[in-house]
Amino acid sequence: MVSILQLVQNLMHGDESEEPLSTRVQSIGEQGHMALLGHSLGAYISTLDKEKLRKLTTRILSDTTLWLCRIFRYENGCAYFHEEEREGLAKICRLAIHSRYEDFVVDGFNVLYNKKPVIYLSAAARPGLGQYLCNQLGLPFPCLCRVPCNTMFGSQHQMDVAFLEKLIKDDIERGRLPLLLVANAGTAAVGHTDKIGRLRELCEQYGIWLHVEGVNLATLALGYVSSSVLAATKCHSMTLTPGPWLGLPAVPAVTLYKHDDPALTLVAGLTSNKPADKLRALPLWLSLQYLGLDGIVERIKHACQLSQRLQESLKKVDHIKVLVEDELSSPVVVFRFFQELPGSDPGLKAVPAPNMAPSAVGRERHSCDALNRWLGEQLKQLVPASGLTVMDLEAEGMCVRFSPLTTAAALGTRGEDVDQLVTCIESKLPVLTCTLQLREEFKQEVEATAGLLHVDDPNWPGIGVVRYEHANDDKSSLKSDPEGDKIHAGLLKKLNELESDLTFKMGPEYRSMKSCIYIGMASDDVDVSELVETIAVTAREIEENSRLLENMTEVVRKGIQEAQVQLQKANEERLLEEGVLRQIPVVGSVLNWFSPVQTSQKGRTFNLTAGSLESTEHTYVYKVQGTGVTPPPTPSGARGKPRLPGHKPFRRSVRGSDTVSDTSSVSHIEDLEKMEHLAGGPEHSSLESPSPEQSPEAPTPQASPTEALQNKAQHPEDHHLQVEELESLR
């Protein structure tokens, strides 16, 4: 047993080096242990006598059903406990089919063929719900009818009731049977609630089964409930998920329903005579007794207060749009970063101006989506207890969702976490706004710079993407270029060595495409022109150096081949001069002893600068190596702007400002003049040395910094000439 438990522990934890210990297992409290205890206790209870087991399971099932119906205001209801959240809805659909088609048990699907059933789902329903129902019921996909949401009035995430009524009338005229309608009390995306009261009246009029699901059903346990959610207590069935709401692991979902015929519920699978099926309620039975009514209400109330606290705080933050249906009792908060477009009304929350081009609006939308995705990922890392999720909405775009009803109980979210979340949002806003503003400036600078190509990547949340086009680049093809990859790899290394505040990345992730340089988020003091100039100059230097190395390699290879040919010719000439007798081993030694041959050591040297072969005779005769030709200077880019000590690259220079303060201008100018003096070298020092006519002992008047500024202001031409002389000396 010990070895088996050790094996299970190793499978649960895995390799401890992969992730920290704190994130291996979810932190659960005593109520969580109580729910887990219910599973093992149910296994022990199943070994009891059949009569005792039947009585015990019936008591557990009836008590749990009664408690849930009282807590969530669902009078005279029955309960079905299931592991899969959608399983209860599938059973309800089966019950609705048996209720509306009396001969379904005998004739089967022939009845459905003569009069096809229709299941109505909202366009804001959970993804994959309709496909799941069709697969479980064996129905074709045309039996599903997707009802659009409001487009003119009301929330854009609520079902359009008028359009639903039109669809129902059309289906009845075509000989179909409207069977079931699935309404939302809190959509999966933004937590909006349909007009359940109006939908209930419509279902009663046409004899349609109304089923409600959603996270907002948890608020039925509170004292104050909105009218739209309260109307769900009068529907035919609803699905509850108390596990996430109360932070209970491994607790089944519950479907509450009302029906008078127990035979049909048995056929539909909602009731069972097996004790094992009734024991599914045991973990929830134990947890409800442990928490009590006050504990359940307190947890749900705490989650609603967290969402209300975040909503009130975000109202005071600029450039944050909150998508909330009911400002008083919405347990889900969805927000996104937005930037007002030029010529738009600030009160309309970034509504594009009519005179803006569609391409500009789409580009702005994609840029905001990328920034919101980055913001959501950053907030999830900075405040992990918040339980944020990033989602893509069709109308609004990329948004961040805070749903404490489904995460707060498990993660232990507190009010301090919400305050920290708001603080992190405020700290990220300057970076977001500045990055969005610098995108267009970066694009213009790149397009105006020769050799650089701006790559439009809407999914990148930084300043932009740039590609360097080398001389052999095929601009018509997007396939991977080895030479371009090498240049961009060197460029990325050079940019990261500058130790700037910007982050650089090489992409794309798919290596079949050409390489690019991705530039990350930026602050407000980034000099975009200097950044683009540095990228262009550095890439050009890398390309020139690589060409020089390739040319040198080719020259060396040809020089070696030529040297081998010349040495072979010299060896043949030496043989002709010495004769054949001197090559015989014994005879040659005797002949060389009587008549030695005066030979000089001859070799070849390769001059890399001139690219030519030279003889080594001069070296052996004079015991010195030739000086050769002075090598040409290494190609280098333009000299960067002088920076003060501690001044990071790509920061806007202080000297570029027109107005200079009285207290700080002198010190900045003196520092810059010292840097220019050091950069000038001995030539600059010689210019400042006294002339021969001037006596060394004569004192030279020292001008104050203020007088120097005045002289520069009075004689700007002399000042510009001095600067040009310094640049020429450099």
Side-chain angles (χ1 to χ4, degrees):
M1 181 179 294
V2 174
S3 61
I4 294 176
L5 292 177
Q6 184 65 33
L7 175 61
V8 174
Q9 183 181 6
N10 294 335
L11 293 175
M12 289 172 56
H13 295 170
D15 190 2
E16 295 185 359
S17 60
E18 294 180 357
E19 53 185 356
L21 182 65
S22 59
T23 60
R24 294 186 305 177
V25 182
Q26 177 182 336
S27 177
I28 55 177
E30 293 184 0
Q31 74 280 358
H33 288 288
M34 188 65 66
L36 297 177
L37 178 62
H39 291 275
S40 57
L41 188 59
Y44 281 105
I45 292 176
S46 62
T47 60
L48 293 176
D49 182 69
K50 290 185 178 180
E51 186 64 22
K52 293 182 180 180
L53 179 61
R54 184 187 62 81
K55 292 182 179 180
L56 180 58
T57 53
T58 304
R59 173 65 183 275
I60 292 173
L61 181 62
S62 60
D63 288 350
T64 310
T65 302
L66 180 61
W67 295 341
L68 290 173
C69 290
R70 287 182 178 179
I71 292 172
F72 296 100
R73 308 184 185 189
Y74 197 79
E75 299 178 357
N76 302 324
C78 302
Y80 172 67
F81 300 89
H82 46 91
E83 302 296 334
E84 169 66 37
E85 293 184 11
R86 302 172 295 181
E87 183 182 352
L89 178 57
K91 301 292 185 183
I92 290 296
C93 291
R94 219 177 279 274
L95 176 61
I97 292 175
H98 283 283
S99 300
R100 297 298 301 273
Y101 295 92
E102 297 179 357
D103 299 333
F104 181 73
V105 179
V106 179
D107 297 335
F109 285 96
N110 292 327
V111 180
L112 303 181
Y113 179 78
N114 297 328
K115 200 171 187 179
K116 296 180 181 179
V118 182
I119 300 175
Y120 299 94
L121 297 176
S122 173
R126 287 183 293 173
L129 180 61
Q131 182 179 2
Y132 174 82
L133 293 177
C134 289
N135 294 336
Q136 294 296 319
L137 302 173
L139 297 177
F141 289 125
C143 292
L144 294 177
C145 181
R146 185 169 293 273
V147 183
C149 296
N150 295 324
T151 55
M152 298 297 295
F153 305 100
S155 171
Q156 296 183 356
H157 302 276
Q158 286 181 347
M159 187 184 301
D160 192 342
V161 181
F163 198 87
L164 171 63
E165 187 175 5
K166 181 178 179 299
L167 292 174
I168 293 174
K169 292 180 180 180
D170 293 342
D171 290 333
I172 293 176
E173 292 177 357
R174 296 176 183 176
R176 299 180 179 181
L177 178 63
L179 180 66
L180 184 138
L181 170 64
V182 181
N184 292 309
T187 56
V190 297
H192 289 196
T193 303
D194 294 330
K195 299 176 182 179
I196 300 178
R198 180 71 181 91
L199 295 175
R200 184 173 62 86
E201 297 175 358
L202 198 62
C203 291
E204 290 178 355
Q205 180 181 354
Y206 294 97
I208 302 175
W209 186 289
L210 178 60
H211 179 83
V212 182
E213 62 179 14
V215 67
N216 292 354
L217 292 175
T219 59
L220 290 172
L222 304 179
Y224 170 78
V225 186
S226 62
S227 58
S228 58
V229 179
L230 187 60
T233 58
K234 304 299 181 181
C235 63
H236 297 92
S237 59
M238 66 169 64
T239 298
L240 308 176
T241 55
W245 299 345
L246 306 177
L248 304 175
V251 168
V254 185
T255 296
L256 302 179
Y257 63 95
K258 297 177 182 179
H259 201 269
D260 299 332
D261 192 348
L264 292 181
T265 57
L266 181 62
V267 172
L270 290 171
T271 57
S272 175
N273 296 325
K274 297 180 181 179
D277 295 336
K278 297 180 180 180
L279 283 176
R280 293 178 183 174
L282 182 58
L284 190 57
W285 183 78
L286 294 174
S287 302
L288 293 178
Q289 290 194 94
Y290 177 83
L291 292 173
L293 179 61
D294 295 338
I296 295 172
V297 173
E298 181 62 29
R299 286 176 177 267
I300 298 176
K301 184 178 180 180
H302 173 69
C304 294
Q305 289 176 349
L306 291 177
S307 61
Q308 190 69 20
R309 187 171 184 171
L310 178 62
Q311 179 184 339
E312 293 295 333
S313 300
L314 291 180
K315 287 181 180 179
K316 307 174 184 177
V317 181
D318 296 332
H319 304 292
I320 293 294
K321 180 181 179 182
V322 183
L323 308 175
V324 178
E325 176 190 14
D326 187 359
E327 296 184 356
L328 299 178
S329 62
S330 179
V332 179
V333 179
V334 178
F335 61 93
R336 73 188 305 266
F337 163 78
F338 78 98
Q339 183 76 18
E340 295 177 359
L341 300 177
S344 62
D345 186 4
L348 297 179
K349 299 293 184 182
V351 177
N355 55 356
M356 290 190 64
S359 59
V361 177
R363 186 164 57 250
E364 191 79 14
R365 164 73 180 271
H366 289 308
S367 300
C368 288
D369 287 348
L371 295 178
N372 278 285
R373 189 185 302 108
W374 176 85
L375 175 62
E377 296 297 333
Q378 290 291 317
L379 295 178
K380 287 167 61 177
Q381 296 178 5
L382 296 174
V383 192
S386 61
L388 296 176
T389 55
V390 182
M391 58 183 180
D392 188 8
L393 300 180
E394 183 178 358
E396 289 80 7
M398 201 66 62
C399 299
V400 183
R401 180 180 61 188
F402 177 67
S403 181
L405 267 177
T406 58
T407 60
L411 299 177
T413 310
R414 302 173 301 171
E416 293 78 6
D417 297 325
V418 175
D419 297 339
Q420 182 184 0
L421 179 62
V422 176
T423 304
C424 294
I425 293 174
E426 293 176 346
S427 64
K428 298 297 180 182
L429 283 180
V431 180
L432 291 170
T433 54
C434 295
T435 301
L436 191 59
Q437 294 173 359
L438 291 175
R439 275 175 172 257
E440 190 64 27
E441 182 182 355
F442 177 78
K443 181 180 179 181
Q444 295 176 0
E445 289 288 342
V446 171
E447 291 176 350
T449 304
L452 295 183
L453 176 66
H454 182 268
V455 180
D456 190 9
D457 189 353
N459 297 322
W460 176 248
I463 295 180
V465 186
V466 63
R467 178 193 301 154
Y468 177 73
E469 295 181 332
H470 55 89
N472 300 326
D473 190 5
D474 186 6
K475 300 178 177 58
S476 60
S477 175
L478 296 177
K479 294 183 178 180
S480 178
D481 181 17
E483 184 178 356
D485 295 344
K486 184 178 179 181
I487 294 176
H488 284 89
L491 177 60
L492 178 65
K493 182 179 179 182
K494 292 288 186 181
L495 293 175
N496 289 329
E497 290 176 355
L498 296 177
E499 298 181 357
S500 64
D501 294 334
L502 297 174
T503 57
F504 300 94
K505 178 184 175 183
M506 185 175 174
E509 297 179 358
Y510 303 101
R511 300 309 302 165
S512 59
M513 305 293 289
K514 288 184 178 181
S515 298
C516 303
I517 297 297
Y518 289 75
I519 305 170
M521 310 294 287
S523 57
D524 56 347
D525 55 354
V526 172
D527 192 348
V528 178
S529 59
E530 182 184 355
L531 171 64
V532 175
E533 180 184 359
T534 303
I535 293 175
V537 170
T538 307
R540 198 174 297 113
E541 288 181 3
I542 295 173
E543 181 183 10
E544 292 176 357
N545 292 336
S546 62
R547 287 184 182 179
L548 180 62
L549 182 61
E550 292 176 358
N551 296 337
M552 185 179 298
T553 304
E554 183 66 20
V555 170
V556 170
R557 185 181 63 83
K558 293 181 179 180
I560 292 174
Q561 294 178 355
E562 184 179 355
Q564 291 176 350
V565 173
Q566 292 185 8
L567 291 176
Q568 185 177 1
K569 291 182 178 180
N571 192 22
E572 293 175 357
E573 293 176 357
R574 183 178 61 83
L575 290 177
L576 294 176
E577 292 177 359
E578 295 178 357
V580 180
L581 294 178
R582 293 183 182 273
Q583 310 305 321
I584 301 175
V586 178
V587 178
S589 300
V590 175
L591 188 59
N592 290 333
W593 184 76
F594 281 105
S595 176
V597 179
Q598 299 294 332
T599 59
S600 61
Q601 297 179 351
K602 293 183 179 180
R604 297 293 185 271
T605 60
F606 184 74
N607 192 337
L608 293 176
T609 304
S612 59
L613 287 174
E614 299 177 359
S615 176
T616 59
E617 183 176 1
H618 182 274
T619 303
Y620 288 107
V621 171
Y622 299 101
K623 307 300 182 182
V624 294
Q625 294 189 4
T627 57
V629 185
T630 303
T634 304
S636 61
R639 181 181 295 270
K641 300 178 182 178
R643 292 190 295 269
L644 294 174
H647 189 74
K648 291 187 177 182
F650 313 133
R651 290 286 186 90
R652 296 191 184 275
S653 177
V654 181
R655 195 174 184 179
S657 59
D658 297 333
T659 58
V660 184
S661 62
D662 296 336
T663 57
S664 61
S665 60
V666 176
S667 60
H668 288 318
I669 292 175
E670 289 179 353
D671 292 338
L672 290 172
E673 289 178 352
K674 289 180 180 179
M675 294 177 63
E676 293 176 355
H677 177 75
L678 293 176
E683 295 86 356
H684 185 67
S685 302
S686 62
L687 286 175
E688 296 182 352
S689 60
S691 59
E693 292 81 2
Q694 186 177 359
S695 175
E697 292 81 5
T700 58
Q702 298 291 335
S704 63
T706 307
E707 295 175 355
L709 287 174
Q710 295 176 355
N711 294 335
K712 290 181 180 180
Q714 295 175 0
H715 304 283
E717 297 84 4
D718 299 338
H719 177 64
H720 290 305
L721 289 175
Q722 293 177 4
V723 173
E724 292 178 358
E725 291 176 1
L726 290 176
E727 294 296 333
S728 63
L729 287 174
R730 290 176 183 174

